[in-house]
Amino acid sequence: MENNRSSWGSNLGFLLAAIGSAVGLGNIWGFPYKMGKSGGFTFLLVYLLLAVFVGMIIMVSELAIGRKTKLSPIDAYKKVSAKFAWIGWMATIAPFLIMSFYSVLGGYCLQYIALNMTKLSFGNGAVAMSGSEIFGAMLTTPLGCVVFTALFIFLCMAIVQGGVSSGIEKFNKIGMPALFVMLLIIIVRSLTLPNAVEGLKFMFVPGYAVKAQFIEKAPNLITVLGTAGGQMFFSLSLAMGAILTYGSYLSKEENLVRNSVIIVISDTLIAIMAGIAVIPAAVANGIANGTPVGQIKLSGPNLLFVTLQDVFSNMGSLGPLFGVIFYALVLIAAISSAISLMEAIAAHWIDMDIQKGENDTRKQRVLTVSLLILFEAVIVAWDGLGSNFSPASLLGISDPPTFLDCFLDFMDCWSEGIAMPLGAMLMALMIGWEKSPELVLDEVAHGDPSEGFKKFYRICIKFVVPVVMAFVLAGQMIDFFGGPQIVWYIVSVVALVVFFCLSFFQPHAEK
Ligand code: TRP
């Protein structure tokens, strides 16, 4: 039966696909800004420590569980754990929710590519609006957003329908090197703008964000820990079934630890490079137009679709060309992440069919998943980041917490905010306490990890990961729900203790 399951053509193909999954919007609009705001080099250091002690550990674990079971998340967790089988459902619903806004953002990229192509053909005067006017006009034209969202979903669908090695792997083998080259082009252009160095200072110099009045006071270490942890998880595509699914197509010969190290390093490197590509350009352009550094919008949709569009519009006749290159780069990053999300969702049903002896239902299953995604994405596309309506406006709430601001935040809250940290915490407890770390280490052993790594792994999965995830969970709830911070710390610690007891005590174990 297993013979009919897909597999990667090569380890390099797998690596590029996994890096493709990891490198996405998070790297471009999240990392550089969070790094700047949360302490520059200090943040980078915390991020790297977390990546080594937590990110890599979860990455190895997900790959190992995927490869060991050769199943999609839902079935893999069912097979591994009696108590935590439902993590598999969480790891399938979360990517589904992420897709609701990821595809809308992908649709925006398509529209911005078209926009810059128009400018390229007819000159900058063709669309003589500011970035914020363009963005506002786009958001308040919901039908256009829906159409381009559908187009984005269709592109991803076509790739995933192509299969693991001849669809996903092939796309990444071309897309990832292309993305890298485009990124280098944008970096060179960005760093040669006057005052670009101020942008570098924002990113790297601790305390600069406060001095430039970007923020009032430096965040405390716990906040930084939460921010860095959340960002790291999202950026590495962890705890959402995607990496597990990709691992399930990997051959037994490959070294999981080495692969994880390569993925983590590449993702972080590209996040830093993306920062060097966008932040100096954004800051330089802001300064040239007399905007104080503290008021330049450097994160989220505004960075991508307002601040940077202004950069390209103000760059002269070659601006639109850089615009096309940049938005195409973001599009590739978005597609390569979205296809891993789509695959993680569809794999369950494809596996089920294979077990029933039906081997070519991939196209049909992926189509169904795509239609479901389109359905939820229409809501996110239509609300226009809250410009047209929002969960808060529908509920009649006037001063809403972040998660009700718009449907993007709403979907993001349940997936990135809750399911992701909780899923990772549960996974670590399941491996570390319900089962045993050897579950993963035996699978890794096909690539022969050293004794040192084994010791390191056991300590991290049992102690470090669950505790850090509790902080990340608290951090996310503070961001999304607001209210007194202490409440969310208590909620997280209670969750940690309850789930620890659940995994530690084995009522049916033999005496
Ligand atoms: N890693 C992607 C990014 O940085 C987004 C993402 C989060 C993701 N979780 C995922 C992608 C799970 C694929 C699978 O933007």
Side-chain angles (χ1 to χ4, degrees), residues 146-211:
V146 169
V147 169
F148 281 94
T149 300
L151 185 58
F152 179 84
I153 296 176
F154 177 80
L155 286 174
C156 296
M157 179 184 86
I159 296 169
V160 179
Q161 281 184 333
V164 175
S165 70
S166 39
I168 298 175
E169 183 169 348
K170 215 174 183 178
F171 175 81
N172 282 294
K173 269 190 164 161
I174 302 167
M176 284 300 109
L179 179 143
F180 195 77
V181 173
M182 288 151 119
L183 197 54
L184 287 178
I185 296 174
I186 302 291
I187 288 181
V188 171
R189 176 68 278 221
S190 168
L191 289 182
T192 46
L193 291 169
N195 282 323
V197 69
E198 293 303 310
L200 290 179
K201 282 192 203 157
F202 169 81
M203 250 183 97
F204 293 101
V205 178
Y208 182 83
V210 182
K211 221 173 75 200

Side-chain angles (χ1 to χ4, degrees), residues 21-27 98 102 234-237 240 242 337 340-341:
S21 169
V23 172
L25 296 167
N27 297 59
I98 293 208
Y102 226 78
F234 187 77
S235 188
L236 289 174
S237 306
M240 304 234 187
S337 298
S340 76
L341 291 161

Side-chain angles (χ1 to χ4, degrees), residues 15 30 47 86 113 115 223 271 436 456:
L15 279 174
Y47 184 94
W86 48 277
I113 293 174
L115 170 87
T223 314
S436 124
F456 174 68

Side-chain angles (χ1 to χ4, degrees), residues 459-474:
I459 295 176
C460 289
I461 198 86
K462 280 185 164 215
F463 304 102
V464 183
V465 177
V467 173
V468 169
M469 285 339 283
F471 276 109
V472 174
L473 183 64

Side-chain angles (χ1 to χ4, degrees), residues 332-351:
I332 294 174
I335 292 180
S336 61
S337 298
I339 54 181
S340 76
L341 291 161
M342 224 181 222
E343 178 66 25
I345 305 164
H348 170 64
W349 286 274
I350 297 173
D351 274 353

